[in-house]
């Protein structure tokens, strides 16, 4: 069993309210869940308009597949025009 855990720090410069922020985060979380089958949650900065931290967890039976899934998550996050990645902390177990 191979496990991947990622903490993603995001800056959302266009968010003018928590409602704006939550719309971006909700959309991003849904895309990751649907395309990669990952568990994902907002784990920090819930009360800040332009900052978010997401936690992502993946489990697979093959190490090379884990790398592909983590790369897919990164591609999805980096393709979000409303968010900028500030930090990407990845662990493989």
């Amino acid at each position: 069993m191979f496990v991947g855990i990622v903490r993603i720090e995001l800056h959302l410069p266009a968010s003018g309210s928590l409602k704006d922020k939550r719309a971006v985060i909700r959309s991003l979380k849904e895309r990751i869940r649907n395309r990669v089958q990952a568990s994902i949650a907002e784990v920090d900065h819930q009360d800040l308009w332009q900052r978010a931290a997401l936690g992502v967890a993946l489990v697979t039976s093959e190490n090379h597949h884990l790398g592909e899934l983590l790369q897919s998550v990164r591609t999805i996050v980096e393709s979000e025009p409303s968010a900028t990645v500030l930090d990407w902390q990845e662990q493989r177990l």
Side-chain angles (χ1 to χ4, degrees):
M1 174 173 69
F2 298 92
V3 179
I5 301 168
V6 182
R7 180 184 171 97
I8 308 163
E9 293 281 339
L10 299 171
H11 179 235
L12 309 160
S15 292
S17 68
L18 287 176
K19 185 177 179 180
D20 293 343
K21 171 190 171 179
R22 289 187 180 123
V24 172
I25 296 302
R26 186 179 319 111
S27 171
L28 193 55
K29 287 171 35 180
E30 286 175 11
R31 277 186 282 146
I32 291 170
R33 281 188 190 121
N34 291 336
R35 293 184 192 165
V36 185
Q37 308 295 309
S39 295
I40 183 167
E42 186 175 1
V43 295
D44 203 359
H45 311 301
Q46 287 90 342
D47 294 333
L48 300 178
W49 296 0
Q50 296 185 342
R51 190 82 189 265
L54 300 177
V56 181
L58 296 155
V59 178
T60 185
S61 61
E62 298 179 26
N63 191 31
H64 77 277
H65 188 59
L66 179 60
E68 293 170 2
L69 293 173
L70 289 168
Q71 184 57 47
S72 294
V73 171
R74 188 171 199 120
T75 300
I76 292 167
V77 172
E78 289 178 347
S79 70
E80 173 56 54
S82 301
T84 303
V85 176
L86 297 175
D87 190 29
W88 180 276
Q89 297 174 5
E90 183 177 305
Q91 289 183 314
R92 296 181 190 210
L93 309 171

